Amino acid sequence: MAELELPSRLFADREEPAGDRVNMYFKLNTIKAVLKALTPEEIDTIRPCFGKLLDVYSKPVFSGKLAHFLLTRQLNVVKRHEIWVVFAGKPVRFSLREFGLVTGLNCQPLPALDRALTKCPPGVTPYWFTLFGGEEYFTGEMLLGKLRRAKALTSEVRVKYACLLLVDGFLCRRSFHMKIPKEHVEMIRDLDVFLKYPWGRYSFDMTMQCIKSRSLNQLAQVTVAIQGFIHALVLVLVEAVPSVLSAVGEITDPESGDEDVFPVISLKLDKVWDLDKDNKVDVLSIIPAPEDVAGLEDCSWPDEVRDPGVEVIMRKIEEGCEFNRGMFVGGLRGVVLPVEPPPRVVNKGKRKVRSKQSGEHLVKGGSSREKKMKVRSGRGRHVHSDPNTSLLGALKYEIDAGLKEARGDVYAHVCVDLKAMELRLERSMKQSIFSAVAEALSARELVKNVVDGVGVGNFDPYSQPPANGASNSLNHANGASSPVNPDNGAVNAVHSVDGASNLTILQVDGSSSASEASNQSEASRDSIDGESGIVSEVVGESDGCPSSEKFKKLVELLEPRFDFEYGGGLVLKETELRLVASSIPPENPQVMDACVTVMRESIFINTDPASVPRADMLTSQFHGSLASMYSKFKKVRRKESFDFDADLLSSLSSRFTSTGRQWLVNIDYLYSPFNIAKNRWIAVMVDLPSHSLSVFDSTANVRRGSRLKPELEFLCEMFPYLVRQVGANDLMLNYPLTPLSFTRHTRITQASDRANTGMLSLLFMEAHAVGGFEKVCQVSESGIRHGAEQLAVQLYEHCCGDIEV
């Protein structure tokens, strides 16, 4: 069933339509013309905006046939702003991120432009007349002609012509005779504003909308027209499949249709087809990004939809899965789709005219020439249109457009829901099978225990001394007891056997009673000896088995592709839970948040309220929620009126209600892990009564405190206002609004490896909650492995119940 989760193909494998090419509206010689027209100083002016794009002409030339080849090998995904194509049996993603990597353009979210930047204010001469004089319209070809006579232009006009040509005559071109938008001309009045605009996202959105609007019938045609910059898809393939560079031709050919012939790099498509047939070709499903790429900080889309099929692909990529052709199935056969023959060109004098094909009248909307004739006839002087008819036509257009958009939304959500339902059914089936197997194994162990209890040919398992030799046991078997050694000051364990159950009671120095010991944490964790002040590791479990044995059993129980849910949207995969025993990855905060959730329950949920520390733990999502609001928070004059996220406030209030413990009344300390640069963890503690923020940093030599403080400034400034706005009690409503003071503690254990920073941060938080700062200083790396194994066991038992050994 694993292969069924992957997205299906649009066209069946090896049954794709053999199209001729993709018609594009840009020409690569546009870049060559710009480079010829501008001086080196002028090129340096526009290079921050179009830097990598100016080098595109030196890459392999655009191949319309190769672009058609890729479009017909798409996977059926419902995401609105990305496509996946299959090459050599392996998926390759084409999204805004990949578009920005191959073009070097700014792909940040589109800003809300001031109307004064795109519309000429009253009383001011439109900038159109400054650049183009009395011309009614100007096209990219006209700009190209102007730049070929660049010596007649001033430097400012030359640069602005080049920018308009690159944007409207190359990246965002919708037709061969597309007019330069007057809004762009008015925007370029301020060249800095024009160059800082995210033209990468603007061009990609146009290209992706055009790709998504093409139906299967249109893709099966001999030619298909794509607006925007479809050449980026070919460039992504070159980056994703390094072997494609071996298909570069030795002899360069002129670009077809250019007036100015210049040599370009050609691709030998036969070699590309051979690479696609080879399943052993190396393919990067997601092309890597170099460090510190500008313009790609935020590639998200507010209207993007979730696609479970794409999530499966991403999960398999993270797991290092080797994709093959057999994993992507389904799709239509290209030969069964109705395909129109290419129009026959008839020489009629000096003009080439396309002859009408049979069935042309069936094409929706008719030809473009007929549409133009209808528009012109409607604008004639002697044609008097009925205003009621015009109003009804406009109303019909608006209704049709709304229905089309609604149909797209409904289709996307239905596809997502169906895929999610399929995944839930599969997960439920797996859990049912897992439960049945567990019950069978439990029944087998029960029979074995009964036989052992009767003692038929077997020794008494409880007569053996403990393996670690650190404790003395008092055995009660059916009312019989053995003496206790009271001289040993270590932990005394009392084992009581009644039928098939056993119970371990921990006593420290003989001072703890059975009732007090039963209030110990159910999951194994570090405990602090009240007299010696040494953080000792509790190796006893509620079932009397060492945690190492439980962890070995855990490794056997973990099944591939099994998910563990911890509430609040936290879901860990089997591989993530398995790796907790070695490290908590800083690039995956979900793993840390799941660990915090389980540790918080084991420490702060207790039957005896008097023994619960006056503390609580928060996940790393808490910091992320505040950090995302900090930019708006700084702009507000009256900070008291700032509205925090409703979900954040609701989660805190729900926490108070469910636990019956509130800040400043029952809780003085708040602990939470914090991710630094996605490569290490630190522990952050907020001391509510003293109005301070402390950091437990196990990598103090990496960054000075003066450089670390600005990264936590948002928390110091926003937290007092958050306390007041939550306002669960009078102390919170009157909490001081001055920023929290900042302190970093470096007299603690320093991690020898950054992989240990996650577990050390958790141990710091746990030690301070139980014993204060002195206990934090006594945490060492020696117990990390054991503590991590115990935490992995707790994560598993939280979802699946106790592990029976």
Side-chain angles (χ1 to χ4, degrees):
M1 294 182 63
E3 280 71 28
L4 296 179
E5 296 181 5
L6 291 168
S8 60
R9 296 172 179 260
L10 292 184
F11 296 97
D13 187 23
R14 306 182 192 276
E15 297 286 347
E16 297 88 354
D20 183 44
R21 66 183 182 277
V22 166
N23 285 338
M24 78 295 186
Y25 299 108
F26 62 87
K27 293 183 179 180
L28 289 180
N29 69 338
T30 302
I31 300 177
K32 187 74 171 183
V34 169
L35 295 177
K36 281 185 176 181
L38 300 184
T39 64
E41 294 76 15
E42 293 167 350
I43 293 176
D44 292 338
T45 302
I46 67 173
R47 186 169 290 278
C49 180
F50 304 106
K52 200 169 183 179
L53 187 68
L54 299 178
D55 301 328
V56 167
Y57 82 98
S58 61
K59 299 286 182 68
V61 70
F62 176 78
S63 171
K65 192 172 185 65
L66 179 56
H68 193 280
F69 173 91
L70 296 175
L71 290 178
T72 55
R73 279 150 181 81
Q74 293 184 63
L75 294 175
N76 187 13
V77 300
V78 298
K79 281 189 170 291
R80 295 177 175 175
H81 302 282
E82 72 179 54
I83 63 173
W84 288 78
V85 298
V86 178
F87 188 88
K90 302 172 181 64
V92 178
R93 186 177 71 177
F94 178 62
S95 66
L96 179 61
R97 173 185 174 275
E98 284 71 33
F99 185 91
L101 288 176
V102 298
T103 61
L105 296 170
N106 183 3
C107 296
Q108 293 288 86
L110 297 177
L113 285 176
D114 188 2
R115 183 179 176 85
L117 297 175
T118 58
K119 295 291 183 181
C120 180
V124 179
T125 303
Y127 203 61
W128 178 278
F129 295 98
T130 303
L131 290 183
F132 304 130
E135 295 286 345
E136 293 184 9
Y137 67 91
F138 228 78
T139 65
E141 298 300 325
M142 297 169 70
L143 277 175
L144 194 61
K146 287 279 189 180
L147 284 177
R148 285 172 178 164
R149 299 185 295 273
K151 293 182 179 180
L153 305 173
T154 63
S155 176
E156 179 186 1
V157 173
R158 197 161 49 235
V159 169
K160 292 183 177 181
Y161 276 1
C163 292
L164 289 173
L165 180 60
L166 289 174
V167 171
D168 297 307
F170 186 73
L171 285 172
C172 310
R173 198 161 182 172
R174 298 181 182 273
S175 65
F176 286 116
H177 304 290
M178 171 184 160
K179 300 177 183 178
I180 305 298
K182 292 187 177 181
E183 292 80 5
H184 293 178
V185 176
E186 195 64 32
M187 188 193 304
I188 209 171
R189 185 194 294 266
D190 188 345
L191 184 61
D192 291 335
V193 172
F194 189 92
L195 293 178
K196 291 179 181 178
Y197 193 79
W199 295 113
R201 183 178 288 256
Y202 187 90
S203 175
F204 174 82
D205 191 29
M206 178 189 299
T207 307
M208 185 56 63
Q209 285 187 16
C210 189
I211 293 175
K212 291 288 187 179
S213 66
R214 296 299 180 253
S215 64
L216 294 182
N217 287 343
Q218 290 175 312
L219 292 177
Q221 305 297 329
V222 177
T223 62
V224 57
I226 301 294
Q227 299 171 344
F229 191 56
I230 188 61
H231 185 40
L233 179 59
V234 178
L235 296 177
V236 169
L237 178 69
V238 174
E239 296 288 339
V241 188
S243 301
V244 171
L245 294 177
S246 64
V248 173
E250 297 178 358
I251 302 176
T252 57
D253 300 318
E255 185 176 8
S256 175
D258 289 340
E259 298 175 4
D260 183 16
V261 177
F262 62 93
V264 292
I265 303 174
S266 61
L267 280 174
K268 291 184 177 180
L269 297 182
D270 291 338
K271 290 186 177 180
V272 178
W273 309 154
D274 294 337
L275 290 173
D276 179 62
K277 297 175 184 177
D278 187 2
N279 291 330
K280 297 182 180 180
V281 173
D282 292 333
V283 177
L284 300 173
S285 297
I286 300 178
I287 59 178
E291 298 181 357
D292 301 328
V293 180
L296 296 179
E297 292 80 7
D298 185 5
C299 291
S300 61
W301 297 89
D303 62 338
E304 185 61 279
V305 296
R306 176 176 164 268
D307 190 339
V310 174
E311 294 175 0
V312 173
I313 295 179
M314 298 296 294
R315 184 164 66 245
K316 286 184 175 292
I317 293 174
E318 293 176 0
E319 296 171 355
C321 174
E322 289 292 335
F323 293 94
N324 56 69
R325 290 183 178 275
M327 299 176 69
F328 300 98
V329 297
L332 298 176
R333 298 179 59 193
V335 294
V336 303
L337 293 174
V339 179
E340 289 187 16
R344 183 168 58 90
V345 178
V346 180
N347 289 328
K348 193 172 183 180
K350 293 184 178 179
R351 236 173 60 181
K352 292 183 179 180
V353 182
R354 291 183 175 183
S355 63
K356 292 185 178 181
Q357 302 290 337
S358 59
E360 184 173 331
H361 61 283
L362 299 177
V363 180
K364 183 179 180 180
S367 64
S368 59
R369 185 176 182 182
E370 292 175 352
K371 292 179 182 178
K372 291 179 181 178
M373 293 300 294
K374 290 179 182 179
V375 173
R376 290 173 182 173
S377 63
R379 294 178 180 175
R381 293 183 179 179
H382 304 289
V383 178
H384 301 281
S385 60
D386 187 358
N388 294 328
T389 304
S390 302
L391 180 60
L392 290 176
L395 182 61
K396 180 178 181 299
Y397 176 80
E398 293 293 335
I399 294 175
D400 290 342
L403 289 176
K404 182 177 180 181
E405 182 177 358
R407 282 197 300 269
D409 293 340
V410 171
Y411 174 75
H413 285 87
V414 168
C415 290
V416 171
D417 292 341
L418 288 176
K419 200 66 178 178
M421 184 184 301
E422 181 183 341
L423 293 176
R424 285 198 302 271
L425 288 174
E426 181 184 353
R427 187 179 295 113
S428 176
M429 183 177 297
K430 285 184 177 180
Q431 290 177 351
S432 300
I433 296 174
F434 180 81
S435 300
V437 173
E439 290 177 3
L441 294 175
S442 177
R444 179 181 176 184
E445 292 296 326
L446 180 61
V447 173
K448 183 178 180 298
N449 291 336
V450 171
V451 174
D452 293 341
V454 174
V456 181
N458 296 299
F459 62 88
D460 186 359
Y462 298 100
S463 63
Q464 302 297 320
N468 54 13
S471 62
N472 298 317
S473 61
L474 176 62
N475 303 324
H476 297 276
N478 298 327
S481 62
S482 60
V484 182
N485 182 7
D487 298 330
N488 192 342
V491 179
N492 298 319
V494 182
H495 296 276
S496 173
V497 179
D498 183 11
S501 63
N502 53 6
L503 173 66
T504 299
I505 303 177
L506 301 179
Q507 295 182 350
V508 182
D509 294 336
S511 60
S512 298
S513 64
S515 59
E516 292 173 347
S518 64
N519 290 329
Q520 294 283 345
S521 174
E522 295 180 358
S524 59
R525 59 181 177 86
D526 294 346
S527 66
I528 299 182
D529 192 316
E531 295 181 6
S532 63
I534 300 175
V535 179
S536 60
E537 296 176 354
V538 178
V539 298
E541 288 291 316
S542 60
D543 58 356
C545 299
S547 64
S548 59
E549 296 297 326
K550 276 201 169 187
F551 182 74
K552 293 177 182 178
K553 187 66 176 178
L554 167 66
V555 174
E556 298 175 2
L557 293 176
L558 288 179
E559 292 186 354
R561 304 182 53 73
F562 193 82
D563 295 341
F564 300 86
E565 298 183 1
Y566 297 93
L570 293 176
V571 180
L572 295 190
K573 294 179 289 189
E574 169 266 338
T575 53
E576 294 172 333
L577 190 145
R578 190 188 300 271
L579 289 176
V580 168
S582 58
S583 67
I584 300 176
E587 68 276 4
N588 191 350
Q590 277 207 344
V591 178
M592 173 61 83
D593 290 347
C595 295
V596 170
T597 300
V598 173
M599 181 174 282
R600 180 171 63 182
E601 291 186 5
S602 67
I603 298 177
F604 304 112
I605 295 181
N606 199 298
T607 56
D608 184 9
S611 63
V612 178
R614 292 182 58 85
D616 199 0
M617 287 187 180
L618 302 174
T619 62
S620 63
Q621 292 181 353
F622 174 74
H623 300 136
S625 301
L626 291 182
S628 62
M629 296 181 283
Y630 186 52
S631 60
K632 294 182 180 179
F633 178 82
K634 291 192 297 184
K635 297 177 183 178
V636 177
R637 286 188 177 181
R638 296 184 68 255
K639 308 297 184 184
E640 300 88 342
S641 63
F642 180 77
D643 293 328
F644 287 87
D645 183 63
D647 293 337
L648 175 63
L649 299 177
S650 176
S651 64
L652 295 176
S653 300
S654 301
R655 176 72 177 166
F656 295 158
T657 304
S658 61
T659 60
R661 304 169 69 240
Q662 299 178 358
W663 294 350
L664 294 170
V665 175
N666 313 102
I667 298 172
D668 292 336
Y669 302 100
L670 295 175
Y671 310 100
S672 55
F674 189 82
N675 196 318
I676 299 292
K678 293 186 178 181
N679 65 2
R680 60 192 179 99
W681 291 102
I682 62 174
V684 175
M685 181 192 71
V686 175
D687 188 342
L688 291 167
S690 65
H691 207 74
S692 63
L693 181 145
S694 301
V695 173
F696 302 123
D697 190 357
S698 60
T699 55
N701 58 338
V702 175
R703 184 173 301 186
R704 297 191 302 271
S706 59
R707 295 182 58 194
L708 182 61
K709 182 179 178 181
E711 296 197 23
L712 294 168
E713 184 178 5
F714 73 95
L715 187 59
C716 295
E717 294 184 5
M718 298 180 69
F719 188 80
Y721 294 93
L722 175 65
V723 174
R724 277 204 178 184
Q725 197 160 128
V726 175
N729 51 65
D730 293 338
L731 294 176
M732 295 176 66
L733 291 173
N734 298 316
Y735 196 70
L737 296 180
T738 55
L740 303 178
S741 60
F742 177 84
T743 305
R744 185 174 74 148
H745 298 288
T746 57
R747 293 190 303 105
I748 55 178
T749 298
Q750 296 297 295
S752 59
D753 188 348
R754 292 190 183 184
N756 297 337
T757 59
M759 196 62 205
L760 279 176
S761 299
L762 292 174
L763 294 178
F764 291 155
M765 293 188 293
E766 183 183 19
H768 192 279
V770 181
F773 183 68
E774 294 181 358
K775 306 304 178 184
V776 176
C777 297
Q778 296 171 2
V779 174
S780 65
E781 283 189 311
S782 59
I784 283 182
R785 177 65 185 184
H786 183 67
E789 289 184 1
Q790 291 178 334
L791 184 57
V793 171
Q794 293 180 40
L795 288 169
Y796 181 88
E797 292 182 337
H798 178 87
C799 298
C800 304
D802 292 341
I803 299 175
E804 297 182 359
V805 181

